[in-house]
Amino acid sequence: MATSRKVTLLSSDGESFEVEQSVAVESITIKDSIEEGSAGNPIPVPKVNSKILAKVIEYCKKHVESAKAEDRVDDEDLVAWDADFVKVDQATLFDLIRAANFLNIKSLLDLTCQTVADMIKGKTPEEKRKTFTIRNDFTPEEEEEVRRENQWAFE
Amino acid sequence: MAESMPEDIVVDILLRLPAKSLVRFKCVCKRWRSLISDRAFAKSHLQRLKAGDLIPSQRFIISGCNGSLKTVDYEALDDGGGEGRMVVPHGIKPLWEPRIVGSCDGLVCLLGPSNFVIYNPTTRECIELPGPNFVDRVRLSGVSGFGYDSQSDDYKLVADASSSSDENWKLAIFSLKSGSWRSIELPFQEEFNELTGQGVYWKGALHWHVYVLCMYDKREGVIMSFDLLEEKFHEVLPVPVPEVDEDICLLGLGIHGANLFINNCTHDRRIEGWITDEYGRGASWTKLFSVDCSAIINLDRDFEQTPLAYTSSGKIVIWMDTKRMIMFNPKDNTCKDYLLGTDLVREYAIYLETLVSPYLDGGAVE
């Protein structure tokens, strides 16, 4: 497979990114459309704006490079790099999750979902509602009942 | 913003959380409450747990003589998290001096004065089982155990139902799925004399450490199992150290993460722990730790100090006597004492924090 082949990705807000094919096919979605021959050139990536697409490409590049390296030590470095990569604001993190899901990049989805899980692990339900901007649809009585049933879990 | 997050992503994130957190998060909104209470979700959560490192989700439950049950979170104690975070579970008040029968997948089986109870200490769901109607009562001193049969996707409780008049050995088996008891008879084997107490559930079977007679009237320690699928006994594993000249005394079986755990003490007051992941004559044991107990003061010589767990930082949790346990650090030979409360602690079991519901027959789950 000619790894020096390049493809162009077009973000939802019209920006073009030229990347190596080996990097682009980290996304199963893109890989499939290239193999089916249905990908145009540039390949449009709807739903993912340029800011997020740039981050996703950065992630894929790093992981493709690491896979080539032979040093096992790189594993730890990669883990540290990943940890830094997800130190972003919440909105960006959620956008990354959506992008990883749409583009079908399993390792990125894993990383971002795990980050959110670790973030919310210790929070109270109220904090979690804020994090996910979830509307509390319990009536005050219902909420009281649910809390009471699970009161011991908060101790 | 987040409301447009696809459901399967929300589920993916929730499945990564520890069971304890998830119980709390039932309060967030109705969607999450129904998600987290869903049977299939609990099953997926358990599978994910088993695919990873089990140790952070392991706790042990202790039962005291006044009917109290407590959970000991020894990893939390290990982190130096202040005073021991020991939680007293509620909701099972009818039990008086509960005997712990066994634990599997986060469900703990207890024996109360009249009935067996299946309890999940993490979700606090509890059901009382009907008694077997073909025996007056099961022999409390006999074998018992609780575990999972993957083929029938059923949790089974095994209890000794034989009486002295029986020629064969009778076991009573309760299936959680069908909600009923049945009995099986096994032709008597020499080894059955040695089988006693709760079996440790591991890899689809219950395990006990027994002595069997082998050649030249010598006795050898082996590990026997009761396979929950076949409902038969087998000799499945050798023990890690031969008991030679009473210098080495094998104490008990337990669980460490995904491994079977056995401990022994030696003549020179060492306590050793071993784990294995294999079955069969050729199975090998790995020594987890070997500690010199002479460093520990206030040893109650009438009580068999039992190592219960090995924490992620390499400390050993030892049950010292009916009132306390210690966390022993082999790196600097120091110990930290933890009082277990005013109840005299009689029994314990290691369990996993899961969302598995004991109501497997479709009973009420909120």
Side-chain angles (χ1 to χ4, degrees), chain A residues 110 128-129 132 137 152, chain B residues 16 25 27-28 30 32 122:
Chain A
D110 252 338
K128 293 192 67 237
R129 284 190 202 112
F132 284 85
D137 56 354
W152 48 269
Chain B
R16 292 163 192 268
F25 296 158
C27 298
V28 172
K30 287 183 181 173
W32 282 30
T122 311

Side-chain angles (χ1 to χ4, degrees), chain B residues 288-308:
Chain B
L288 250 191
F289 57 81
S290 176
V291 300
D292 183 359
C293 282
S294 52
I296 304 171
I297 53 167
N298 288 343
L299 268 178
D300 179 350
R301 307 249 157 208
D302 289 330
F303 194 90
E304 272 172 3
Q305 281 74 35
T306 312
L308 300 179

Side-chain angles (χ1 to χ4, degrees), chain A residues 2 10 37 45 48 95 118 132:
Chain A
L10 186 64
V45 186
V48 185
D95 284 338
D118 291 337
F132 284 85

